[in-house]
Amino acid sequence: MERKDTLYATAQIDIAGFRFDKSVVDVFPDMIQRSVPGYATIISMTGTMAERYAQPNSRCYDLGCSLGASTIAIRDGINVPGCEIIAVDNSPDMIRHCRQVLRTEKSATPVTLLCEDIQKLEFRNASLVVLNFTLQFVPLPQRDGLMQKISRDLRPGGALVLSEKIRFDHPQHDRLMLELHHDFKRANGYSDLEISQKRSALEEVLVPETPQAHRERIKTAGFSSVDLWFQCFNFASFVAIK
């Protein structure tokens, strides 16, 4: 049974940095649905991207796979033979739970789960690479190198799906999007205390960038095109083609 997220419902004297440990894993489905506007749409369309861009006899990578929502969407979307999905997360608790989730989902497309740092991977024979709310947790100085490696290893005609929390250059607009996001969380049952404490926990861990910064990094890495296909408040998803 899905557990409700109450991790920040009680006042905490010392708020530690956010970690994807067992306490988060146990409430993650509820947490992300109530915290990320448009999450279900992004996951659904990730499967549609797999249907369009997964190439025969290739690999599809789900980087930061958490509990496997994107992995399952990719697997359901693949309609060509010989594909394999590589799902990667650096949280042992996430990988352990993801393995249990995938056991309940039967499919002919094999999935390999890896508990590794995505920056150490080689993306061999890749036709699709998905980072749904993952790059934002990679240290800023290391993001360019990761994107360049993905672009280098991606097959011609392959695609990147990148979903992120974003910020905006204009302070007033940035503040508006942040306030609208907080309104969204309140509407989903989070208290002001929960919103404030989780924001403090994420402050040094999740570092958002502007849409322009993402576009420039992706283009510089060697992708032929990049488009913003989804945005709701300060959450967005891009699709880039090699």
Side-chain angles (χ1 to χ4, degrees):
M1 182 178 176
E2 185 177 296
R3 289 179 53 186
K4 186 176 180 181
D5 172 25
T6 58
L7 295 182
Y8 296 98
T10 304
Q12 301 177 21
I13 297 173
D14 184 20
I15 301 175
F18 190 87
R19 296 177 57 211
F20 290 96
D21 56 16
K22 187 178 185 303
S23 64
V24 170
V25 169
D26 288 344
V27 299
F28 189 73
D30 179 66
M31 174 186 286
I32 200 159
Q33 290 286 353
R34 294 166 63 206
S35 300
V36 179
Y39 180 73
T41 297
I42 290 171
I43 295 301
S44 175
M45 289 305 296
T46 297
T48 301
M49 298 295 184
E51 183 178 357
R52 179 177 290 269
Y53 291 108
Q55 299 177 16
N57 304 308
S58 70
R59 289 178 165 184
C60 299
Y61 286 83
D62 181 11
L63 306 182
C65 64
S66 62
L67 301 187
S70 296
T71 298
I72 293 168
I74 293 167
R75 192 168 65 178
D76 290 346
I78 290 172
N79 60 4
V80 292
C83 280
E84 176 187 8
I85 300 171
I86 311 297
V88 189
D89 204 288
N90 66 357
S91 166
D93 292 307
M94 283 289 189
I95 288 292
R96 195 175 301 115
H97 197 127
C98 184
R99 184 170 286 112
Q100 295 173 5
V101 171
L102 291 177
R103 283 183 185 140
T104 68
E105 300 280 341
K106 302 300 181 183
S107 171
T109 301
V111 177
T112 299
L113 284 175
L114 300 177
C115 186
E116 289 187 17
D117 181 348
I118 62 172
Q119 297 180 78
K120 296 179 180 178
L121 284 179
E122 296 296 327
F123 305 100
R124 295 184 293 113
N125 194 29
S127 63
L128 177 69
V129 177
V130 173
L131 295 99
N132 279 336
F133 308 105
T134 299
L135 189 67
Q136 60 198 23
F137 293 105
V138 174
L140 266 173
Q142 299 168 26
R143 295 179 188 181
D144 288 356
L146 175 60
M147 194 59 61
Q148 289 162 10
K149 185 189 291 188
I150 292 171
S151 176
R152 181 194 69 206
D153 292 349
L154 196 62
R155 281 183 173 189
L160 164 75
V161 177
L162 174 69
S163 307
E164 290 276 285
K165 187 176 184 180
I166 56 175
R167 65 176 181 83
F168 302 90
D169 284 325
H170 194 288
Q172 184 176 358
H173 187 66
D174 193 57
R175 185 167 58 253
L176 171 62
M177 292 298 107
L178 180 63
E179 290 173 356
L180 288 171
H181 178 220
H182 288 174
D183 288 343
F184 170 85
K185 295 179 79 170
R186 290 187 192 97
N188 282 327
Y190 283 115
S191 67
D192 287 342
L193 176 64
E194 289 175 290
I195 293 168
S196 175
Q197 291 193 141
K198 186 176 181 184
R199 185 180 181 188
S200 296
L202 285 167
E203 201 162 26
E204 300 298 324
V205 180
L206 190 163
V207 181
E209 297 181 271
T210 65
Q212 185 59 27
H214 286 297
R215 289 178 185 274
E216 290 177 359
R217 176 180 294 115
I218 291 168
K219 290 289 285 184
T220 300
F223 286 85
S224 62
S225 69
V226 54
D227 291 294
L228 179 69
W229 73 266
F230 176 90
Q231 182 187 336
C232 185
F233 308 143
N234 49 349
F235 289 83
S237 188
F238 302 83
V239 58
I241 311 302
K242 174 73 177 288

